[in-house]
Amino acid sequence: GRPAAEAPRAEQLAERLRAQKREEKREVPQEPAQRRVRELAMLSRRLQQVHPNVLAKILKEGTLFQNEEIVVINKPYGLPVHGGPGIKNCITDVLPILAKMLANMKAEPLHLCHRLDKETTGVMVLARSKEVADRIRLLFKTRQVEKIYWAISLGEPDPAEGVVEIPMVEKEVQSHQSHYKMTLAPNYRLRPEDGREVRTRRDRGAESAVTRYRCLASAAACSLLELQPITGVKHQIRVHLAYGLGCPILGDHKYSHWSKLAPQKLPEITLRRLRLQQSKARHLPLHLHARRLCLPLGQQLDLVCKPPPFFQKTLEKLELNISKD
């Protein structure tokens, strides 16, 4: 039969899983706010467990726009674009199913044109043919696509609008558990003698990164920001806000500190408004939403997507009232 060592290991694993289930049952919070936060954490886990056909149907129902060249979907929270270890469901895998659901049966699979992080929600463009996909990828690459994001951040940026233009690079963080993060690689530093700015040697691995930002509303120690990434570096908005402006995105547990992997620490007033205890803050989702894309494809397509319900609820609770423009 099996090697003797494997049996106890499997047994331990099963017991751990049972314990985890018991823990989850016991831990269902009575507080509505905390229940909702838990539900979101569950939601992205559930998206991993549904049948690919169900996932395709969810995406189909969130279709924002389609014509003979493209299909624009509203990407759900917590759904990765690409597969990887431990990932059963991702957008790439359901594209052939989605294509069949949207068109007559002879649909060829849809093609990805750009990516969004797993936690980001909002406007995502899929092409109906490889040629169109290549055309759109080139538009992204040559920066002809205007991208607007919304984020809820901790703190208020000062000044209230401006441009963050600081190169970025990926570095290994040495801490009790070492991990990789994107970080800033500025071209300048302040001279200790007199505080003057001096140019430094460019980090060879660094990519230039530019983000425009504008504060739309502030309340409860948070802000609603409108962001326009001019470049497309990995995690650019998250890093520019956290390390460039000192205003990390609400629910960004990765970039709220440099050296540790710990839940974001929220100000007292924010916790009160969200009716949340600090210990539950680790369940808060990332509040970053791809709000609109302007795509010059023949005519200028203006594709807009309203934030998901959890994002809107947070806006209401924090009383971040955006003036209707």
Side-chain angles (χ1 to χ4, degrees):
R2 285 183 310 187
E6 259 180 38
R9 262 230 320 273
E11 198 38 61
Q12 277 165 349
L13 194 65
E15 181 43 53
R16 258 220 319 274
L17 281 171
R18 283 196 292 271
Q20 204 179 324
K21 279 241 165 56
R22 284 198 297 272
E23 178 67 17
E24 275 183 9
K25 265 208 195 74
R26 208 184 61 235
E27 222 198 276
V28 170
Q30 298 316 305
E31 274 289 285
Q34 311 209 339
R35 248 207 328 273
R36 224 187 357 263
V37 165
R38 274 294 299 280
E39 278 158 16
L40 275 166
M42 299 291 289
L43 186 74
S44 63
R45 281 218 291 280
R46 262 205 303 276
L47 281 176
Q48 281 307 307
Q49 285 149 6
V50 300
H51 191 279
N53 291 352
V54 176
L55 187 54
K57 196 159 177 280
I58 292 171
L59 296 179
K60 175 181 181 248
E61 281 160 9
T63 305
L64 302 167
F65 173 85
Q66 49 178 318
N67 62 16
E68 45 299 338
E69 296 190 306
I70 61 171
V71 174
V72 183
I73 59 169
N74 171 7
K75 182 188 154 312
Y77 181 83
L79 180 63
V81 173
H82 294 290
I87 289 173
K88 172 177 163 259
N89 275 332
C90 62
I91 288 182
T92 318
D93 291 352
V94 298
L95 291 180
I97 311 172
L98 181 60
K100 282 205 179 67
M101 284 183 178
L102 286 168
N104 33 30
M105 291 311 286
K106 63 169 217 353
E108 58 167 309
L110 293 158
H111 301 261
L112 280 181
C113 302
H114 60 116
R115 19 180 338 162
L116 288 177
D117 286 350
K118 172 183 165 192
E119 287 88 6
T120 309
T121 54
V123 184
M124 187 158 196
V125 180
L126 306 167
R128 288 187 189 264
S129 69
K130 193 171 176 329
E131 298 74 58
V132 174
D134 289 337
R135 243 167 68 209
I136 294 174
R137 282 181 203 133
L138 189 62
L139 291 174
F140 271 97
K141 208 175 157 177
T142 52
R143 301 182 191 165
Q144 295 180 64
V145 181
E146 188 183 328
K147 299 173 283 190
I148 300 288
Y149 286 77
W150 275 8
I152 298 177
S153 72
L154 293 185
E156 266 181 76
D158 180 23
E161 61 178 285
V163 177
V164 181
E165 187 168 354
I166 311 174
M168 287 172 49
V169 70
E170 191 155 34
K171 284 215 168 103
E172 186 174 5
V173 181
Q174 300 295 344
S175 69
H176 59 286
Q177 42 186 151
S178 75
H179 54 287
Y180 283 87
K181 275 183 187 171
M182 296 300 291
T183 188
L184 302 179
N187 294 331
Y188 292 90
R189 61 182 180 78
L190 299 181
R191 219 168 33 197
E193 309 81 273
D194 53 6
R196 289 270 304 280
E197 287 185 13
V198 285
R199 271 199 92 86
T200 53
R201 232 182 54 231
R202 191 182 151 81
D203 187 321
R204 275 224 308 282
E207 299 179 73
S208 59
V210 183
T211 311
R212 295 166 77 151
Y213 72 92
R214 176 164 82 99
C215 184
L216 301 177
S218 289
C222 292
S223 302
L224 172 62
L225 305 180
E226 179 186 78
L227 302 142
Q228 187 185 358
I230 309 293
T231 51
V233 180
K234 174 181 170 186
H235 294 173
Q236 172 180 324
I237 290 178
R238 295 166 65 179
V239 172
H240 271 176
L241 287 186
Y243 300 157
L245 292 171
C247 296
I249 296 177
L250 183 64
D252 195 345
H253 307 290
K254 179 166 187 165
Y255 290 110
S256 288
H257 356 246
W258 169 245
S259 59
K260 51 186 199 280
L261 287 168
Q264 186 176 50
K265 189 110 178 63
L266 299 182
E268 205 40 59
I269 179 166
T270 313
L271 288 168
R272 260 208 319 277
R273 290 264 177 98
L274 293 174
R275 293 196 285 287
L276 207 58
Q277 296 156 4
Q278 177 58 46
S279 63
K280 298 287 187 242
R282 68 197 164 98
H283 295 302
L284 264 185
L286 182 76
H287 286 68
L288 177 61
H289 173 69
R291 165 84 179 145
R292 86 192 262 196
L293 275 186
C294 302
L295 196 62
L297 205 61
Q299 85 267 49
Q300 183 79 20
L301 290 173
D302 193 5
L303 308 159
V304 180
C305 178
K306 66 177 201 287
F310 80 83
F311 195 114
Q312 295 180 44
K313 284 209 177 93
T314 301
L315 286 176
E316 282 163 33
K317 285 195 176 138
L318 296 174
E319 296 174 21
L320 284 167
N321 307 320
I322 172 170
S323 53
K324 299 269 175 277
D325 43 42

